[in-house]
Amino acid sequence: MTGSAEPLGPPTTPRSGTQKGGDPGVRPVWPFAITRSVDTGFHIVVAPDFLVACDLHHLLSDVVAGEAAEGIAYLRQYRDRGTRRLWVLYRVGHLRGADVGLNTEYALHGTRRTPLVEGVVCDEEGRPPQPTDDFFDWIHGACAESVRAFFTADSGTHPVCASEGAKPPDTGTALRVVEETPYRSERNLQVALAGHHPSPPRFASPAARPVRSSSREGVAAAGPGTARGERVDVDRGGHAGCVRRVRLARRLALAAGVVALGLGATLIVVLLR
């Protein structure tokens, strides 16, 4: 892991000094992790350095949104208005107590287990390798220190740690992979990676898309307070206040319309007398 990020996207060939493992023929992948702490909502803890550099790491929370079962790996392509494409391979599990220095089986927020989304990002020309248990153990180890620091800090302002491209292991037991429909965005990642700011959205930023864990195994083992379809929201800020203002404006407009209709009816009655 590295604390700084270079404004570069996934290269056609591995960057010198970035890929670990020494094999120039193997394309790198970039680990990422999303979780929450006791009092802080869901947070992107680790993200690829090239996304952190152009402040687009939040797209990960959109791509991994949807129903997810434990023990299954999900593969999804990210597409936007540019020509850059990304592959995102991830798995949803739960944060263990040992991961954050607790003497408990799981790290809890209230009575609920804490979901943990772990995965990798790779460029469009190279789909991620077949995931195995060793592959995800490698991701877990790469993000472990950053996840523990975030959980301990318990702060929504905790910085995102930028990950470097690296060679994953190809050993272990293969996992089942579910390929989802591509995620389409109005962003332009190619422009952002070229050193420019992405085009502003035409509308207000949407609400954070949830990652919902609804596996039967997860629910059965979750313990008290963990419900089927638990929402995992990555806080992107400002949306709740915007929604409240829009709703208030609609109510005021409706009230004004009712008053106008009442005054019009009264005027008609007076004129007809």
Side-chain angles (χ1 to χ4, degrees):
M1 310 301 293
T2 178
S4 61
E6 302 172 40
L8 297 173
T12 302
T13 56
R15 266 186 292 164
S16 175
T18 296
Q19 171 155 355
K20 297 177 175 60
D23 184 352
V26 178
R27 304 181 69 83
V29 298
W30 281 255
F32 73 88
I34 304 173
T35 190
R36 62 161 297 155
S37 54
V38 176
D39 297 317
T40 302
F42 284 88
H43 190 80
I44 298 174
V45 180
V46 179
D49 53 6
F50 61 91
L51 292 180
V52 175
C54 59
D55 198 28
L56 284 180
H57 51 280
H58 289 293
L59 69 82
L60 292 172
S61 64
D62 298 325
V63 177
V64 304
E67 298 291 338
E70 288 192 83
I72 296 177
Y74 294 88
L75 177 64
R76 196 173 194 187
Q77 190 179 48
Y78 170 86
R79 300 177 182 175
D80 63 12
R81 294 187 293 117
T83 60
R84 175 74 72 179
R85 302 288 184 264
L86 300 175
W87 286 101
V88 180
L89 177 68
Y90 66 96
R91 185 173 68 173
V92 179
H94 290 91
L95 193 61
R96 297 274 178 172
D99 294 332
V100 291
L102 299 176
N103 190 25
T104 57
E105 183 178 6
Y106 291 101
L108 305 177
H109 59 285
T111 59
R112 297 179 182 274
R113 296 188 301 179
T114 301
L116 173 64
V117 183
E118 296 176 308
V120 295
V121 176
C122 67
D123 67 309
E124 61 183 320
E125 297 181 10
R127 291 164 62 103
Q130 168 65 45
T132 64
D133 49 0
D134 287 351
F135 179 88
F136 275 99
D137 285 345
W138 172 77
I139 298 171
H140 187 81
C143 299
E145 183 178 345
S146 299
V147 168
R148 181 166 183 167
F150 162 70
F151 191 89
T152 302
D154 201 4
S155 169
T157 60
H158 193 78
V160 178
C161 183
S163 66
E164 295 180 337
K167 174 188 173 183
D170 56 4
T171 58
T173 303
L175 302 178
R176 178 188 171 192
V177 180
V178 174
E179 184 167 346
E180 299 187 301
T181 56
Y183 176 82
R184 300 180 184 276
S185 170
E186 286 299 309
R187 297 185 179 98
N188 192 324
L189 182 59
Q190 177 125 4
V191 171
L193 292 176
H196 302 285
H197 294 292
S199 302
R202 289 173 292 180
F203 305 100
S205 298
R209 302 176 190 270
V211 176
R212 298 181 294 277
S213 177
S214 61
S215 66
R216 294 181 181 177
E217 297 86 352
V219 172
T226 302
R228 181 185 297 271
E230 180 180 10
R231 297 175 66 87
V232 180
D233 295 316
V234 178
D235 183 14
R236 298 169 68 177
H239 179 71
C242 179
V243 170
R244 286 194 294 271
R245 289 191 294 271
V246 171
R247 288 176 178 171
L248 178 59
R250 288 177 177 173
R251 290 172 184 167
L252 291 175
L254 179 60
V258 171
V259 171
L261 288 174
L263 291 174
T266 302
L267 181 58
I268 293 173
V269 170
V270 171
L271 292 175
L272 291 177
R273 284 183 179 177

